[in-house]
Amino acid sequence: MKIKKTIIIFMPIVLILIVLAGGGIWFKRKYATSVNMDIHLKEYSQFEYPEDPANRSVHYAQYSNRNLKIVKKDKTHFDLILEPTNDHTAKVVFNDIDAGLFVTGLPEWTKKDKDLEIIALTDREWNRQQVSFEPDSKHIEITGGDGFEKSNLHSAAIAKNCLNAGLWEILLFTKEKEEKALYYQGWFTFPLGHYKAVFEEITGLSYWEHWRRLEHWVDPAGASINLKALRKVLNEREVQAEFLAQERIFASGEQVRKLRTTNVQNVITWKDFCGSSVEFATFAPPGRYYFEKPWKNEYWRIAEFKKAILRDIQSPASEEVLQEIELVFKDSKTGEENRFFVSGFKLNQLPQLPVEHYPQGLYMPMGIGVPPFFLSYQDLERNPPDKSPYFSVLLDSNDTWINHHEVAIDGPVLHRDINNPNVIHVYLLSYERHSLVGHYLLKI
């Protein structure tokens, strides 16, 4: 009997030790690093990814089945090497890439406020950052293959997806009919051990304090935004503004390609978005769209446009006088005022454009100290996001952060009118930039 009791007591202890040992092995493998690492590279065929809104080349999938190797150069710099597995595919190397410009960081001044720190890190991780390289860049090297890629590469790109830490892509483009066309795309996870080390190097923060927020989709609900910590208001005034509620919707750039990823019927004008059942294809790991996972909206939060405020501000990031626009809305369900801010830009430097060229304006994600959705590596080096005065947030009347992804707004677009520089066009981008969802005119 004593032997049986001993066994009964002993077995749970053994199981606990096995679980702990297994967890330790899993943890060690998850964050293991070496100077040279072979990384799993995921590629999709045409049939496997019908939702893809990209402008695909006729050469798509002709240069596939590649391997990826990542080589550490120093604390933040890496080589990303696309290696072929057949004779006609070239070897493509991204040389000496500063991962510190991709890994989630934050402006120094946000560290003084825990809520600002959390929001800055969350939105930085949740926003796409696609960085392009010209074929003659010192960071791009192409060798071997049948010559097509060496002669016809229009641009290469590394993209940090708007998902969990380390979910990145490599994209290669050619040019067809005067348009950029995607001929190769591969998804991979940047090694989380290296990610952790780079994060701590560029932020000075402990990775373990934020790891769950970075590696999983954690909503920082209830966080408060201290606007005074982000900028000092020099002056402000309400400006004449109009929501073009009856204007027929239009699309340009990536919004045209993403018509296939939007599920909506009988939405004719901008006002039709509020209260509509519009759904968008969800963007999910490893970094692709899924029709079977529709993303809904909370556009009732911006149902009724009330007014616009223009401010001159001083940012901790700049000695220049910059501008800020606030759009005020009435929530049709609660009656509360919700406020959309876009701040830290030069009003007189906004380009003058016709509305059909709106993607060439200030086309930005939401967040604090975030880079544009699309930019060149040279521009990224010249303008690192953690030094940017830019921010865009959606707040309630108590300055509480509203999860704009759940609302299904991912950023603003701004430009001056082509004929009148004193008229500012402001657009709201939907979740994943599938569509514009509002057009506002401000007369300054």
Side-chain angles (χ1 to χ4, degrees), residues 273-305:
F273 275 100
C274 294
S276 72
S277 59
V278 60
E279 295 177 333
F280 306 103
T282 293
F283 196 72
R288 54 160 289 182
Y289 294 101
Y290 292 89
F291 286 146
E292 67 269 21
K293 298 178 180 180
W295 191 276
K296 300 183 185 299
N297 70 77
E298 297 177 356
Y299 289 141
W300 64 80
R301 290 180 179 268
I302 59 167
E304 184 181 342
F305 177 63

Side-chain angles (χ1 to χ4, degrees), residues 106-124:
L106 75 171
E108 188 67 27
W109 54 90
T110 62
K111 298 179 188 178
K112 300 175 183 178
D113 183 297
K114 184 54 65 175
D115 279 357
L116 283 183
E117 180 178 290
I118 289 171
I119 294 303
L121 291 173
T122 297
D123 264 327
R124 181 79 165 88

Side-chain angles (χ1 to χ4, degrees), residues 157-169:
I158 299 173
K160 178 185 79 69
N161 276 315
C162 47
L163 294 166
N164 306 334
L167 296 184
W168 294 7
E169 302 171 26

Side-chain angles (χ1 to χ4, degrees), residues 223-239:
S224 179
I225 295 292
N226 180 5
L227 290 167
K228 292 181 179 179
L230 294 177
R231 86 293 191 252
K232 176 183 178 183
V233 175
L234 303 178
N235 60 72
E236 69 174 41
R237 62 190 174 97
E238 185 175 336
V239 295

Side-chain angles (χ1 to χ4, degrees), residues 328-345:
V328 181
F329 301 92
K330 182 179 179 181
D331 187 316
S332 64
K333 288 192 174 182
T334 67
E336 183 178 19
E337 282 194 349
N338 296 320
R339 300 168 297 150
F340 180 93
F341 291 82
V342 53
S343 184
F345 62 92

Side-chain angles (χ1 to χ4, degrees), residues 176-341:
E176 294 172 355
K177 298 179 180 178
E178 301 305 313
E179 292 187 355
K180 186 170 72 171
L182 178 71
Y183 78 86
Y184 177 81
Q185 188 170 14
W187 289 259
F188 68 99
T189 298
F190 188 82
L192 288 178
H194 286 320
Y195 192 101
K196 170 186 174 296
V198 174
F199 173 87
E200 294 183 337
E201 176 69 23
I202 64 173
T203 66
L205 301 174
S206 167
Y207 183 77
W208 302 123
E209 181 181 355
H210 296 284
W211 75 272
R212 187 167 176 271
R213 191 173 305 283
L214 296 171
E215 294 184 21
H216 303 278
W217 194 275
V218 179
D219 182 356
S224 179
I225 295 292
N226 180 5
L227 290 167
K228 292 181 179 179
L230 294 177
R231 86 293 191 252
K232 176 183 178 183
V233 175
L234 303 178
N235 60 72
E236 69 174 41
R237 62 190 174 97
E238 185 175 336
V239 295
Q240 184 179 347
E242 178 186 6
F243 171 44
L244 301 182
Q246 301 300 326
E247 182 181 58
R248 294 183 70 91
I249 64 172
F250 52 84
S252 187
E254 63 176 331
Q255 281 75 53
V256 173
R257 299 193 303 274
K258 289 182 176 180
L259 289 172
R260 75 181 74 171
T261 57
T262 304
N263 182 25
V264 62
Q265 293 182 345
N266 296 319
V267 172
I268 307 298
T269 66
W270 302 119
K271 72 175 179 61
D272 293 334
F273 275 100
C274 294
S276 72
S277 59
V278 60
E279 295 177 333
F280 306 103
T282 293
F283 196 72
R288 54 160 289 182
Y289 294 101
Y290 292 89
F291 286 146
E292 67 269 21
K293 298 178 180 180
W295 191 276
K296 300 183 185 299
N297 70 77
E298 297 177 356
Y299 289 141
W300 64 80
R301 290 180 179 268
I302 59 167
E304 184 181 342
F305 177 63
K306 301 294 291 183
K307 62 181 178 180
I309 299 169
L310 176 66
R311 297 185 179 94
D312 289 331
I313 58 107
Q314 185 84 57
S315 167
S318 175
E319 295 181 356
E320 290 187 285
V321 175
L322 303 172
Q323 278 70 52
E324 171 180 290
I325 289 173
E326 175 186 349
L327 303 181
V328 181
F329 301 92
K330 182 179 179 181
D331 187 316
S332 64
K333 288 192 174 182
T334 67
E336 183 178 19
E337 282 194 349
N338 296 320
R339 300 168 297 150
F340 180 93
F341 291 82

Side-chain angles (χ1 to χ4, degrees), residues 16-223:
I16 291 171
L17 291 175
I18 291 173
V19 170
L20 289 175
I25 293 171
W26 169 85
F27 181 87
K28 185 176 180 180
R29 287 179 176 174
K30 182 177 181 180
Y31 295 99
T33 62
S34 62
V35 173
N36 294 275
M37 298 186 71
D38 293 317
I39 306 299
H40 173 68
L41 193 61
K42 174 64 178 175
E43 301 172 352
Y44 287 106
S45 69
Q46 303 270 20
F47 284 170
E48 290 175 310
Y49 190 11
E51 302 95 334
D52 188 6
N55 178 30
R56 285 178 171 175
S57 166
V58 296
H59 300 285
Y60 185 84
Q62 292 181 359
Y63 296 88
S64 297
N65 304 118
R66 302 179 192 249
N67 295 322
L68 176 63
K69 177 171 289 189
I70 293 181
V71 180
K72 182 179 180 180
K73 308 291 286 295
D74 60 28
K75 289 183 177 180
T76 64
H77 289 79
F78 296 81
D79 290 345
L80 280 67
I81 305 169
L82 277 178
E83 297 180 321
T85 57
N86 51 61
D87 292 338
H88 68 273
T89 299
K91 178 180 179 180
V92 180
V93 181
F94 293 80
N95 283 311
D96 202 34
I97 304 303
D98 187 354
L101 297 172
F102 291 82
V103 168
T104 292
L106 75 171
E108 188 67 27
W109 54 90
T110 62
K111 298 179 188 178
K112 300 175 183 178
D113 183 297
K114 184 54 65 175
D115 279 357
L116 283 183
E117 180 178 290
I118 289 171
I119 294 303
L121 291 173
T122 297
D123 264 327
R124 181 79 165 88
E125 187 58 55
W126 284 4
N127 283 316
R128 184 175 182 82
Q129 176 187 350
Q130 185 167 316
V131 180
S132 62
F133 301 79
E134 296 298 314
D136 59 354
S137 166
K138 66 179 181 179
H139 296 284
I140 297 297
E141 179 184 340
I142 306 173
T143 56
D146 62 7
F148 171 82
E149 295 181 90
K150 181 72 173 178
S151 301
N152 294 282
L153 182 72
H154 174 270
S155 61
I158 299 173
K160 178 185 79 69
N161 276 315
C162 47
L163 294 166
N164 306 334
L167 296 184
W168 294 7
E169 302 171 26
I170 289 176
L171 307 98
L172 303 176
F173 299 89
T174 187
K175 194 171 185 179
E176 294 172 355
K177 298 179 180 178
E178 301 305 313
E179 292 187 355
K180 186 170 72 171
L182 178 71
Y183 78 86
Y184 177 81
Q185 188 170 14
W187 289 259
F188 68 99
T189 298
F190 188 82
L192 288 178
H194 286 320
Y195 192 101
K196 170 186 174 296
V198 174
F199 173 87
E200 294 183 337
E201 176 69 23
I202 64 173
T203 66
L205 301 174
S206 167
Y207 183 77
W208 302 123
E209 181 181 355
H210 296 284
W211 75 272
R212 187 167 176 271
R213 191 173 305 283
L214 296 171
E215 294 184 21
H216 303 278
W217 194 275
V218 179
D219 182 356

